[in-house]
Amino acid sequence: EGVDEWPGISVVGRIILDISTIGGNLDCRFSSFDGGGACSLQAKAIHVKGRVRFNKSEFHGVVNFAMARIDFSFCGENAKYNYGYKQDKWTLGVALNLDSAIINGDANINDVIVNGCIRICNVQFKKNLVLTNMNINGSNCDESGFYAIRADAMNVADGLFFYNENQEDNQNKFHINGCVSLSYASAGQLNDKWCIWPNKYSIDGFIYRSIGGESKCDILKRKKWLENDGGDDVFHPQPFDHLANIYVDDGMSSHAKNILIHKNKCKLKKRDGDKIERLILRAFGLTLRYGYKPYVSLAWIAGLVAIGAISFHFGYEGGNMYPSKEWVYRSECYYSEKECDGWHRVGNGIFKIPNNYPEFSSIVYSSETLIPFLHLYQSDYWRPKPSGEGYFYTIYLWVHILLGWIF
């Protein structure tokens, strides 16, 4: 009915408190528990009406608070957790298990040394969850993979703190060997400061309402964070879309566009989708930046118009662009060395056209043939010769038109 205070005790053997009710705090600070290769402290479905305190304690064997209800805070900082070697399939490799628990106060699991996996799946943290300065050597948690922290579908009402206090000392104070899974978890605010995460993690389905001020690291680190989700061969679009929405809500639309562009680049990099889909996406990215920066296509069009204008100009000067109207190029005046009334020489003096015939303009011709549905009447009156050197300009014209449809 009151407070269970066991600070400084040393226990050999299991303590079982399943389905118990403690009217006040469960205080096990500065203590040592050795479960003999099995559970050291088993308290499934326990109801603690005060606080749980494991500060600076050491456990050999799983600490199992699955389905527990803790009315105030869970204080597990500066402790050492070691999984037991005599465990069933539900606690295999688990050092600390809070699955499906409800913790109404803050949960502090910082500055810990863990040999095994921390399971906090489906936990309802009503305030903050602090996971900082951790040293974890993970394990094959519940036979599903090698995990350091498994927090699938947990909910943190306020802030999730996951970082190393000293960035320069990252290797010593934030060593995590194993996957950190936040799949389909949620948090009010993500606080990961410098965006330094373990080598392997999963954030597919992870949602958060905001990013803490100190965690608004540069966008390059955020891109890397999203890209490394799930490993080299796994692509999850949801984390990109969610972060983009966060940036939009914060009034950072340019960051949001950059994240969505990077999403498509990662999709290509990780070879997600079939070959045709990736080919189309690659072309879409090259021309319009996947639709998020359509003005990029204007630069491509301007460049192609300039290249076309130069090419067709040399073709015209070399006599390889000729009038497309038969009544002109079949006329005796077309190649005649004699002057003809109403005709004048063009194309570096190689041939003549009537005075009332539209003059050739390489830049207008290039623009009209490149841009679909643009009609400036140049292509009606001029075309490359289909033979000799003109054949090169004919091929180039086909490519030029095709590029116009692409861009």
Side-chain angles (χ1 to χ4, degrees):
E1 295 298 329
V3 177
D4 276 357
E5 294 188 349
W6 307 336
I9 65 169
S10 179
V11 179
V12 176
R14 291 198 296 174
I15 293 180
I16 299 176
L17 298 172
D18 292 350
I19 323 178
S20 300
T21 300
I22 296 178
N25 299 328
L26 176 58
D27 191 340
C28 303
R29 292 174 293 172
F30 315 105
S31 300
S32 174
F33 296 81
D34 187 347
C39 287
S40 58
L41 178 55
Q42 181 170 306
K44 293 188 290 185
I46 191 174
H47 181 194
V48 181
K49 295 184 178 181
R51 296 174 174 83
V52 174
R53 293 173 174 172
F54 293 154
N55 313 57
K56 297 185 178 181
S57 293
E58 185 169 352
F59 300 89
H60 294 272
V62 62
V63 177
N64 192 352
F65 273 67
M67 299 177 289
R69 178 179 173 183
I70 302 170
D71 289 351
F72 289 89
S73 59
F74 180 91
C75 306
E77 62 264 36
N78 294 291
K80 296 180 180 179
Y81 302 90
N82 300 277
Y83 74 92
Y85 55 87
K86 295 179 181 179
Q87 298 184 22
D88 57 30
K89 66 179 181 178
W90 304 111
T91 58
L92 178 66
V94 179
L96 175 61
N97 185 10
L98 296 172
D99 279 359
S100 302
I102 299 174
I103 301 176
N104 290 316
D106 291 334
N108 298 297
I109 314 177
N110 52 295
D111 295 284
V112 296
I113 297 175
V114 182
N115 182 26
C117 171
I118 295 177
R119 285 189 61 102
I120 45 178
C121 299
N122 297 293
V123 180
Q124 298 292 317
F125 295 100
K126 299 298 184 179
K127 291 189 177 180
N128 299 303
L129 172 61
V130 181
L131 302 171
T132 59
N133 305 332
M134 308 183 82
N135 192 318
I136 304 177
N137 185 23
S139 63
N140 290 312
C141 181
D142 63 31
E143 300 181 326
S144 62
F146 194 84
Y147 288 92
I149 301 174
R150 187 153 193 189
D152 303 340
M154 76 167 181
N155 176 263
V156 182
D158 293 335
L160 169 61
F161 297 83
F162 184 64
Y163 55 83
N164 166 26
E165 288 286 356
N166 188 346
Q167 185 181 13
E168 296 179 354
D169 197 23
N170 182 58
Q171 294 300 318
N172 295 327
K173 298 192 68 179
F174 198 68
H175 174 74
I176 295 181
N177 179 26
C179 179
V180 174
S181 178
L182 294 176
S183 298
Y184 300 98
S186 62
Q189 186 179 80
L190 173 62
N191 294 275
D192 57 352
K193 278 196 177 179
W194 304 280
C195 201
I196 296 175
W197 283 61
N199 292 330
K200 188 175 181 181
Y201 52 88
S202 175
I203 53 173
D204 183 32
F206 176 45
I207 59 174
Y208 40 92
R209 293 193 299 273
S210 65
I211 298 177
E214 291 184 304
S215 300
K216 291 183 179 179
C217 49
D218 66 76
I219 193 169
L220 294 178
K221 289 184 178 179
R222 281 294 170 207
K223 286 180 179 179
K224 198 68 177 177
W225 177 60
L226 296 171
E227 182 178 341
N228 291 339
D229 168 44
D232 295 336
D233 301 323
V234 178
F235 174 72
H236 297 137
Q238 184 274 338
F240 294 89
D241 295 334
H242 183 70
L243 181 57
N245 289 334
I246 295 296
Y247 280 138
V248 170
D249 292 342
D250 287 346
M252 306 167 71
S253 59
S254 62
H255 279 26
K257 289 180 180 179
N258 283 329
I259 291 296
L260 294 173
I261 289 172
H262 193 64
K263 177 184 78 170
N264 289 283
K265 290 181 178 179
C266 289
K267 182 180 177 70
L268 292 172
K269 181 179 179 179
K270 298 189 177 185
R271 307 181 72 83
D272 185 71
D274 56 42
K275 290 183 178 180
I276 296 178
E277 180 184 356
R278 294 200 303 271
L279 181 63
I280 295 173
L281 186 62
R282 196 178 298 277
F284 193 41
L286 187 64
T287 56
L288 298 174
R289 290 295 187 271
Y290 311 102
Y292 300 111
K293 292 184 178 180
Y295 56 82
V296 172
S297 65
L298 297 178
W300 280 102
I301 291 172
L304 291 172
V305 167
I307 293 172
I310 294 171
S311 300
F312 294 128
H313 172 76
F314 282 111
Y316 175 72
E317 291 295 321
N320 293 302
M321 298 293 297
Y322 79 115
S324 58
K325 302 301 182 182
E326 186 176 357
W327 63 271
V328 175
Y329 65 79
R330 288 191 179 277
S331 171
E332 294 181 357
C333 292
Y334 181 66
Y335 272 123
S336 175
E337 295 182 359
K338 298 179 180 180
E339 298 299 327
C340 297
D341 291 337
W343 290 65
H344 64 279
R345 292 188 179 275
V346 294
N348 208 18
I350 297 174
F351 54 85
K352 299 189 292 294
I353 61 172
N355 292 340
N356 61 349
Y357 198 84
E359 294 283 347
F360 179 77
S361 170
S362 61
I363 190 167
V364 175
Y365 188 85
S366 178
S367 300
E368 180 181 354
T369 53
L370 178 73
I371 303 173
F373 309 114
L374 181 64
H375 194 198
L376 302 175
Y377 299 100
Q378 277 284 299
S379 60
D380 291 345
Y381 291 92
W382 296 90
R383 65 183 178 183
K385 293 175 68 173
S387 59
E389 293 182 8
Y391 186 69
F392 165 78
Y393 293 97
T394 300
I395 298 298
Y396 177 78
L397 177 61
W398 295 342
V399 174
H400 193 70
I401 293 172
L402 177 62
L403 289 174
W405 283 98
I406 292 176
F407 287 90

